[in-house]
Amino acid sequence: MTSTTATPLPTTASGSAGAAAPPLRFDTKIAVIVRDDLAVWQKLNVTAFLASGIAHASDTVMGKHYEDASGHGYLALFREPVLCFTADAGALARTHARALSRAVPTALYTADMFRTGNDTDNRAVAADDLDLVGLAVYGPRGTIDKITKSLKLHA
């Protein structure tokens, strides 16, 4: 896997980016893909669970802990934006196959997870038999772009 450092975007001809710091362009990418036929509460639930998996993808995926000007501390968030896509069952299966073939860190959520009460049952299904409702992937920007090619951003 490539380095996970951020590279600043180009600045103006004078070298300044204005009053604010220039936006960062990361060489890694996080993408969450959720099946398009889920209820809204399910889409949100799946997205939250998948994001928790990606939080463990590498030692550098998380940013720093926050502290506001009043001294209150907050948990760290991802250090980079998360792109959220939607897909039908077929596109989700193709995206899963692409992620597996490229061996990037992948989190998954299956329809069974809405129904079962234990993790053992959820893990007892072969990859070809998974009823996927969501995936999250993390890795080099170009690789994630290839994995998510032709998917629509969630509206």
Side-chain angles (χ1 to χ4, degrees), residues 19-145:
L24 298 176
R25 179 178 169 95
F26 297 95
D27 61 355
T28 55
K29 190 178 264 189
I30 300 169
V32 173
I33 307 97
V34 178
R35 205 165 74 193
D36 59 5
D37 62 348
L38 299 179
V40 172
W41 74 266
Q42 290 173 313
K43 289 178 182 179
L44 293 169
N45 186 264
V46 168
T47 301
F49 272 100
L50 292 172
S52 73
I54 294 298
H56 300 281
S58 84
D59 292 338
T60 59
V61 73
M62 300 300 289
K64 296 178 183 178
H65 282 81
Y66 285 87
E67 185 174 318
D68 64 24
S70 300
H72 300 284
Y74 302 94
L75 296 172
L77 303 175
F78 290 133
R79 69 182 185 94
E80 60 192 272
V82 178
L83 297 171
C84 295
F85 296 91
T86 185
D88 63 21
L92 196 56
R94 285 188 301 278
T95 304
H96 179 238
R98 289 175 186 163
L100 291 179
S101 73
R102 288 168 173 83
V104 297
T106 303
L108 64 84
Y109 201 100
T110 67
D112 292 336
M113 292 174 164
F114 291 124
R115 294 185 291 275
T116 61
N118 68 75
D119 240 7
T120 302
D121 290 342
N122 295 334
R123 296 168 193 264
V125 180
D128 290 341
D129 298 326
L130 293 171
D131 183 5
L132 294 172
V133 296
L135 289 173
V137 291
Y138 173 75
R141 180 176 207 78
T143 301
I144 300 305
D145 287 343

Side-chain angles (χ1 to χ4, degrees), residues 7-12 17 22-26:
T7 305
L9 290 173
T11 57
T12 62
L24 298 176
R25 179 178 169 95
F26 297 95

